[in-house]
Amino acid sequence: QELLAMAYLTKPTSKLSLGCSAFGSVFQEITEEGCREIIKTAFDNNIRLLDTAPWYQTSEEVLGRCLACLAPSYPRNSYILNTKVGRYPDWHP
C-alpha cells in the first residue's frame, strides 16, 4: 500500500484515517470489544492513522484502552494518533 509522507510527520502514514468518534458511542452504543475489532481490522489493512477528539465523548479514553490491549501485536510506533484541542463540550472533565 502506498504511504503518505506529510511534512509535519516523522514517518509515513496511510492516506486513509480511521475516524474514532463512534468509539465514544456518539451515534449508538458500541462495546470496547467492537472498537478493538474495528482498530484491528484497520491496522490489518494498513490504515495506521487514528483520529479522535475530546468532543467525541469518551472516544479518547476508549481508544486508549483498546490500543493498550492491542499493543503486543501493534506497538505504539506502528501508528499515528491524531486528536484536537481547544474545543471541549460542557460534560468534559
Side-chain angles (χ1 to χ4, degrees):
Q1 174 178 348
E2 184 181 345
L3 296 178
L4 180 63
M6 296 182 206
Y8 59 89
L9 296 177
T10 58
K11 62 182 176 181
T13 188
S14 54
K15 286 185 176 181
L16 295 176
S17 68
L18 174 63
C20 300
S21 61
F23 298 172
S25 297
V26 172
F27 307 107
Q28 65 184 25
E29 290 294 319
I30 185 169
T31 65
E32 287 194 21
E33 180 180 346
C35 295
R36 282 192 304 274
E37 285 301 312
I38 291 168
I39 297 166
K40 185 178 179 317
T41 299
F43 284 175
D44 289 346
N45 287 281
N46 282 329
I47 297 172
R48 299 300 176 107
L49 177 59
L50 306 173
D51 180 70
T52 188
W55 196 256
Y56 305 156
Q57 299 183 27
T58 58
S59 174
E60 290 178 318
E61 292 87 359
V62 171
L63 181 57
R65 288 191 297 269
C66 291
L67 291 171
C69 288
L70 293 170
S73 298
Y74 306 97
R76 178 60 187 94
N77 65 354
S78 68
Y79 59 87
I80 294 174
L81 184 58
N82 181 65
T83 191
K84 295 130 191 114
V85 297
R87 183 175 174 207
Y88 297 92
D90 292 337
W91 55 262
H92 198 276

